Amino acid sequence: MKKHAESRTGSKPGKFGKYGGQYVPETLMEPLRALEEAYNKFSHDPSFKKELAGWLDTFAGRPTPLYLAANLTRHVGGARIYLKREDLLHGGAHKINNTLGQALLAKKMGKRRIIAETGAGQHGVATAMACAALGLGAEVYMGSEDMDRQKLNVYRMKMLGAKVHPVESGSRTLKDAINEALRDWVTNVQETYYLLGSVVGPHPYPTMVRDFQSVIGKEARKQILQADGKLPKAVVACVGGGSNSIGIFHSFLHDLDVNLYGVEAGGESLSPGQNAAPLVAGREGVLHGMMTYVLQDEAGQVQTTRSISAGLDYPGVGPEHAFLMNEGRAKYVTVSDEEALDAFKTLSQLEGIMPALESAHAISYAMKLAKSLATKDSILVNLSGRGDKDVEIIAKHIAQ
Amino acid sequence: MPNDDRIEAKFRELHSHREGALITYLTGGDPDPKAFLANSTALIEGGADIVEVGIPFSDPIADGPVIQASSMRALSQGATPKGILGLIRELSSQSPVPFVVLSYYNPILAMGLDRFLTKARESGVDGIVVPDLPVEESDEFRNVALKHNIDNIYLAAPNTSRTRLRTVLDKSKGFLYLVSLYGVTGPRDSLSPQALEAVKTVKSLARGKIPISAGFGISQPEHVSAVIQSGADGAIVGSALVRIIGNHLDDPSEVETQLKKTVQSFKEATRLRSD
């Protein structure tokens, strides 16, 4: 099943149709080869799989429950809405699924120095947690603009023993943090492991991170079959880089009656610079080592993005999503800042669950979709993270 | 319209005089179009053998702070790939030196491979370096470059395996760009012994079929003479020149004077000692 993309296109590993690939400086070709080799070896090694499963169960808190949001369902009036509760994981988001997998891999590869990038800080926190638990040193690059927006996560990373490097270049957000992490890797390539946080970047990251996140969909598919006796009509997840969405989509790729919806950040509007929706508003291009959809101007300069949710604030997107969109297997839509805030309030008040602003985008679209479906249908939403980190931003908006 | 293979012809000519090539880099349109033209002219007058011009990009992952800042200066003045190629056209109509363009892949893709390379050829560009397009991803690009008689210059790094080195040497045209260190572009105080070892290794694998030029961190005349003495056919100097622009943004004539003087001292260092 993992082979969906590759088998449909007959293309080589690391390519999803024409997307993906390895568009990186020559110095990174050798470490990427070594990483691919190590990943191929350990991902098939029963003892590695068992060790990782142990960490996921006892440290991260897997499996996560599937929750029928009955109040929300009644409120909307339509299909039943189920939430996959990744917000209940250690650290408060799905990010830990990937950081434990990669940190364990780094350790097997004999790398002691881990670097990572972070936008909202969730991946940085999850990296710091995994590294502390596994006895590895973590250094996290974070745009100085994001450090201002997400102060709490900066403190959390520091308390977990990670070093946080402020990034002052470019737009001082996630894309620049990735640039800086890549520059660090080129410089310290021999002893350093780059722990990328989403299904982006050069091969093998989009495949490897997807595999580590696909545990979400594997559990959810079983759980909804058990709860409902049938598959959902639709699966909905937010898309920044696209790791939580690919993680839940992947187990449903061959269930062609299940519609897959990726929700991008519509921000203020779909005008240039006012959103973070490369699949809806961008064009094909190359960024951070991958061929994918990129928000860019006519001359190919990468545009600044805008979203209330720092975790979706990225001008590129995982190459497998670009492929799924072009194949027509998944549909990509947008939800605005305003709509995401409304969904945050609705879910908090009706269900007693505060979603991350990222996940609130998925909730918002699921509410729209549920209305258009029959009451016998169901929708599965990936609640990828919890909203505690966003309380300050939300309070500011509610006050306005 | 330039003649074919002007880059390799330049190396042959220098070789016969027992000199290495001095390849100078500036970011196109930095700090503004007019000053860029004047600065490039100063480099040529100072003795640059090959002039490399960067297309500024918003996300230059292979570049350190000096070239990042120059890209931002150029972009803030409205620099576009088309505009930079136009500036190269002005320079190439007045000077016989070969021109090389360095561009990240996305600006090229945005214009379209064929359109970009057609326009580059019309502007007098002889070679092109794309730092984020390794040989595995470049089949189509290489074919279009070949069609337009533009040399596709590949890079090799200190950790490039011998097998890959052979492929890269085989596919490269004009010269091979040897990245002499682990890291991004930027001035360094010293040149590592490993850099010189890398020059020797690559030079022996090339077996005289293609010139080798070393870049990244080559920022003093002693670095230039060390790589040339170790067998490199050329030395690429970028950040050490771009830094001069950044240091004297309010004094354009001082920049021209210093660039010319600096290039003269670098050029002097490319001459092989007879001892």
Side-chain angles (χ1 to χ4, degrees):
Chain A
M1 253 209 232
K2 261 181 207 165
K3 293 281 181 282
H4 173 84
E6 292 91 326
S7 64
R8 292 284 301 271
T9 60
S11 61
K12 48 187 176 176
K15 292 274 185 180
F16 306 95
K18 62 173 158 172
Y19 305 106
Q22 293 180 315
Y23 296 84
V24 293
E26 176 64 25
T27 313
L28 292 182
M29 291 306 285
E30 170 55 27
L32 287 172
R33 187 204 57 76
L35 177 59
E36 183 180 7
E37 189 181 280
Y39 177 64
N40 287 340
K41 179 179 156 200
F42 287 108
S43 62
H44 295 106
D45 174 359
S47 81
F48 180 88
K49 287 203 267 195
K50 199 174 155 209
E51 199 177 343
L52 177 58
W55 282 102
L56 288 174
D57 292 356
T58 61
F59 182 75
R62 298 218 74 90
T64 59
L66 182 76
Y67 174 73
L68 173 62
N71 299 338
L72 185 68
T73 299
R74 215 169 309 133
H75 171 76
V76 172
R80 280 187 304 282
I81 300 173
Y82 283 95
L83 307 178
K84 178 62 174 164
R85 300 289 311 273
E86 294 297 293
D87 61 316
L88 294 176
L89 283 174
H90 185 41
H94 70 292
K95 293 288 183 188
I96 194 91
N97 300 327
N98 169 45
T99 59
L100 281 171
Q102 285 200 59
L104 202 56
L105 180 64
K107 201 167 173 174
K108 302 285 179 203
M109 291 174 74
K111 307 275 184 184
R112 292 272 159 224
R113 178 175 182 264
I114 307 291
I115 56 169
E117 82 297 336
T118 196
Q122 290 302 104
H123 174 59
V125 167
T127 299
M129 285 173 166
C131 287
L134 289 163
L136 300 164
E139 297 181 33
V140 181
Y141 287 93
M142 187 170 188
S144 58
E145 170 112 6
D146 288 336
M147 287 177 76
D148 284 343
R149 293 199 274 189
Q150 302 281 341
K151 285 195 196 79
L152 183 65
N153 275 341
V154 176
Y155 295 132
R156 291 166 86 199
M157 284 185 271
K158 287 182 178 167
M159 278 168 207
L160 290 158
K163 205 186 274 175
V164 182
H165 298 294
V167 174
E168 302 288 354
S169 59
S171 58
R172 303 193 300 269
T173 59
L174 176 58
K175 104 180 153 67
D176 310 285
I178 297 179
N179 290 341
E180 219 47 60
L182 286 168
R183 290 179 186 124
D184 179 317
W185 200 24
V186 167
T187 308
N188 304 296
V189 71
Q190 276 140 327
E191 67 274 17
T192 302
Y193 182 97
Y194 180 20
L195 205 165
L196 235 174
S198 192
V199 287
V200 300
H203 176 66
Y205 287 104
T207 299
M208 177 169 71
V209 177
R210 174 251 279 162
D211 290 350
F212 286 135
Q213 291 294 1
S214 63
V215 64
I216 305 172
K218 279 180 202 152
E219 284 176 11
R221 192 174 183 279
K222 270 186 220 151
Q223 288 167 322
I224 202 156
L225 279 173
Q226 203 160 34
D228 248 13
K230 61 177 184 195
L231 290 171
K233 197 82 187 162
V235 178
V236 181
C238 64
V239 181
S243 71
N244 91 80
S245 44
I246 212 82
I248 198 161
F249 286 174
H250 227 258
S251 290
F252 296 93
L253 283 184
H254 294 278
D255 301 316
L256 296 178
D257 291 336
V258 179
N259 297 319
L260 307 174
Y261 294 93
V263 186
E264 294 195 308
E268 285 277 313
S269 77
L270 289 183
S271 313
Q274 297 303 310
N275 61 78
L279 289 168
V280 172
R283 287 198 334 268
E284 283 174 4
V286 163
L287 177 67
H288 295 147
M290 57 180 166
M291 170 87 66
T292 185
Y293 279 75
V294 179
L295 288 165
Q296 55 183 311
D297 69 13
E298 214 175 295
Q301 305 297 343
V302 180
Q303 281 168 333
T304 51
T305 51
R306 178 173 175 154
S307 168
I308 192 168
S309 141
L312 301 182
D313 216 348
Y314 180 60
V317 63
E320 192 166 2
H321 286 293
F323 174 72
L324 292 175
M325 178 173 80
N326 280 10
E327 288 282 290
R329 179 62 192 95
K331 201 173 165 207
Y332 295 86
V333 296
T334 59
V335 153
S336 70
D337 285 352
E338 203 61 41
E339 292 171 312
L341 279 167
D342 284 346
F344 175 91
K345 280 185 252 176
T346 306
L347 192 71
S348 300
Q349 288 164 17
L350 290 181
E351 297 288 353
I353 297 171
M354 289 197 299
L357 278 174
E358 290 79 5
S359 321
H361 285 72
I363 298 290
S364 173
Y365 189 75
M367 286 163 64
K368 280 187 221 171
L369 192 61
K371 245 180 258 181
S372 70
L373 296 175
T375 49
K376 64 174 173 40
D377 294 328
S378 64
I379 297 176
L380 170 64
V381 186
N382 196 10
L383 190 61
S384 55
R386 67 174 186 229
D388 304 52
K389 69 182 173 64
D390 296 316
V391 164
E392 209 182 328
I393 297 171
I394 290 156
K396 224 188 286 173
H397 276 267
I398 289 173
Q400 273 171 6
Chain B
M1 193 59 101
N3 304 318
D4 293 346
D5 299 329
R6 297 203 319 161
I7 295 175
E8 292 192 32
K10 174 58 98 177
F11 278 101
R12 275 197 303 275
E13 174 203 325
L14 290 165
H15 210 248
S16 69
H17 301 142
R18 295 181 48 76
E19 285 175 33
L22 177 67
I23 303 165
T24 59
Y25 170 93
L26 291 182
T27 301
D30 170 38
D32 60 65
K34 200 171 137 241
F36 165 74
L37 288 175
N39 293 340
S40 299
T41 305
L43 298 181
I44 295 166
E45 286 171 4
D49 296 307
I50 297 173
V51 171
E52 184 185 348
V53 178
I55 304 284
F57 180 49
S58 53
D59 294 82
I61 53 174
D63 287 302
V66 172
I67 292 180
Q68 286 174 41
S70 73
S71 306
M72 291 304 138
R73 285 195 295 268
L75 289 174
S76 73
Q77 296 296 310
T80 62
K82 232 183 280 175
I84 304 299
L85 292 175
L87 295 174
I88 295 177
R89 182 176 208 145
E90 284 188 44
L91 291 168
S92 70
S93 66
Q94 290 158 23
S95 164
V97 302
F99 284 84
V100 169
V101 155
L102 180 142
S103 178
Y104 288 87
Y105 198 34
N106 201 53
I108 301 176
L109 272 177
M111 203 191 278
L113 304 190
D114 200 61
R115 248 182 94 211
F116 185 97
L117 291 162
T118 303
K119 177 98 183 146
R121 190 55 173 163
E122 286 167 5
S123 307
V125 170
D126 301 285
I128 186 158
V129 183
V130 187
D132 57 350
L133 190 67
V135 65
E136 285 82 352
E137 303 289 359
S138 71
D139 285 351
E140 188 188 357
F141 181 77
R142 185 166 175 269
N143 287 337
V144 182
L146 278 172
K147 187 177 99 184
H148 291 287
N149 278 318
I150 294 183
D151 292 345
N152 191 2
I153 297 157
Y154 286 100
L155 296 99
N159 57 355
T160 302
S161 70
R162 281 193 172 235
T163 321
R164 267 183 78 76
L165 262 179
R166 286 197 187 91
T167 311
V168 169
L169 282 164
D170 189 45
K171 296 208 166 180
S172 221
K173 275 199 80 194
F175 61 89
L176 179 83
Y177 191 132
L178 175 63
V179 175
S180 60
L181 48 76
Y182 287 106
V184 292
T185 59
R188 308 288 199 281
D189 289 338
S190 61
L191 193 68
S192 75
Q194 288 91 321
L196 302 180
E197 280 311 307
V199 167
K200 287 177 195 159
T201 306
V202 175
K203 183 72 190 168
S204 75
L205 279 174
R207 292 208 230 132
K209 280 190 200 140
I210 184 157
I212 310 298
S213 298
F216 279 50
I218 313 267
S219 38
Q220 288 168 23
E222 303 83 79
H223 303 165
V224 171
S225 80
V227 296
I228 301 290
Q229 296 291 340
S230 297
D233 305 285
I236 306 158
V237 182
S239 296
L241 302 173
V242 173
R243 183 170 52 179
I244 295 172
I245 299 172
N247 285 347
H248 302 279
L249 285 172
D250 45 7
D251 193 351
S253 71
E254 175 66 17
V255 171
E256 287 169 53
T257 312
Q258 283 205 27
L259 281 176
K260 193 168 168 179
K261 219 172 71 191
T262 308
V263 166
Q264 280 167 343
S265 67
F266 281 128
K267 180 55 210 169
E268 191 51 43
T270 65
R271 302 197 165 98
L272 277 171
R273 294 188 301 264
S274 42
D275 55 32

